[in-house]
Amino acid sequence: DVVMTQSPLSLPVALGQPASISCRSSQSLVYSDGNTYLDWFQQRPGQSPRRLIYKVSNRDSGVPDRFSGSGSGTDFTLKISRVEAEDVGVYYCMQGTHWPLITFGQGTRLEIK
Amino acid sequence: EVQLVESGGGLVQPGGSLRLSCSASGFAFSDYAMHWVRQAPAKGLEYISAINSDATTTYYADSVKGRFTISRDNSKNTLYLQMSSLRAEDTAVYYCVKIYDRGFDSWGQGTLLTVSS
């Protein structure tokens, strides 16, 4: 299976400051169709996961533009330009390239410093 | 609006069985593969099972293979997860998830399964 490794696992950030989460895969996530199926999810306390970013860098509808995704091959990054209080939660990366062997990262807990 | 509503969770003794259901609305259910993802208390997300749109192909993670069965009834817009030989480590919130273009674009609110004597 493809192993997804996130860092850091804990991320204290002051309000208004930027945040960055790394996700690395053990194999390339480039699919035979040329796309890279790497998603980012946010899970706020007590809620279901919500997708923020799909195919590396595409924001889902309703996702604030302070969230951005980048990367290629095996290295990916989720960035929050200015952290707000509502951003507290756990962030997961997920690869769909090797469906049905979908795998998630361990999660990164973002908290306000 | 896509809605996925799970039900059927509860308290079960080790070795017992239970069936989870997921009622889908707001999209053409029969056109999409569906999945189950679980989350143990204070833990991360674990992808456990998938079924394609016409139920001809299924997938199971090693952790549940041989004990869980995924199925669907497209006439009722419902996804199921039949669970047997339950263990304490199966305790988790179980999410029903819709996939589109190899991405999990919609999640249900989850249903909690507790396996304990």
Side-chain angles (χ1 to χ4, degrees):
Chain A
D1 291 7
V2 177
V3 177
M4 306 295 288
T5 304
Q6 290 183 227
S7 62
L9 299 185
S10 179
L11 184 57
V13 182
L15 288 172
Q17 293 301 302
S20 179
I21 301 171
S22 170
C23 176
R24 291 186 173 177
S25 59
S26 61
Q27 300 176 32
S28 173
L29 298 187
V30 180
Y31 188 55
S32 56
D33 64 2
N35 288 309
T36 299
Y37 295 95
L38 185 285
D39 294 353
W40 287 97
F41 297 87
Q42 175 194 61
Q43 188 174 30
R44 290 171 170 155
Q47 295 187 11
S48 305
R50 163 202 183 197
R51 194 174 67 179
L52 300 174
I53 302 287
Y54 62 96
K55 287 193 280 190
V56 180
S57 59
N58 298 277
R59 267 191 308 275
D60 273 277
S61 174
V63 174
D65 60 8
R66 64 179 182 275
F67 289 94
S68 64
S70 63
S72 63
T74 60
D75 287 352
F76 305 93
T77 302
L78 176 70
K79 291 184 178 178
I80 309 173
S81 58
R82 295 172 306 279
V83 169
E84 298 188 4
E86 66 177 17
D87 299 335
V88 166
V90 182
Y91 292 79
Y92 297 92
C93 60
M94 184 204 88
Q95 66 81 19
T97 295
H98 300 274
W99 187 91
L101 300 177
I102 288 176
T103 45
F104 293 93
Q106 318 98 299
T108 294
R109 184 172 302 276
L110 186 149
E111 62 180 38
I112 303 301
K113 192 188 303 182
Chain B
E1 179 192 2
V2 172
Q3 285 202 332
L4 300 169
V5 180
E6 301 92 338
S7 61
L11 175 62
V12 179
Q13 291 190 338
S17 299
L18 201 66
R19 188 178 79 162
L20 305 182
S21 299
C22 170
S23 177
S25 61
F27 66 103
F29 180 74
S30 61
D31 287 348
Y32 293 89
M34 296 295 295
H35 302 71
W36 289 99
V37 174
R38 70 183 181 183
Q39 185 171 35
K43 297 294 185 182
L45 300 170
E46 181 188 12
Y47 171 58
I48 60 169
S49 189
I51 187 167
N52 68 344
S53 58
D54 62 4
T56 54
T57 302
T58 57
Y59 163 79
Y60 300 95
D62 288 344
S63 57
V64 305
K65 197 175 295 181
R67 301 186 300 121
F68 289 13
T69 302
I70 190 172
S71 63
R72 63 192 296 161
D73 186 335
N74 286 344
S75 69
K76 296 182 178 179
N77 289 349
T78 303
L79 176 72
Y80 302 101
L81 187 67
Q82 178 68 48
M83 305 179 292
S84 61
S85 303
L86 285 164
R87 308 165 179 166
E89 54 265 35
D90 295 319
T91 294
V93 174
Y94 286 73
Y95 294 104
C96 165
V97 190
K98 170 181 168 288
I99 193 168
Y100 172 72
D101 199 16
R102 294 177 178 266
F104 284 170
D105 64 339
S106 300
W107 296 63
Q109 87 288 349
T111 187
L112 175 63
L113 167 68
T114 302
V115 183
S116 175
S117 55

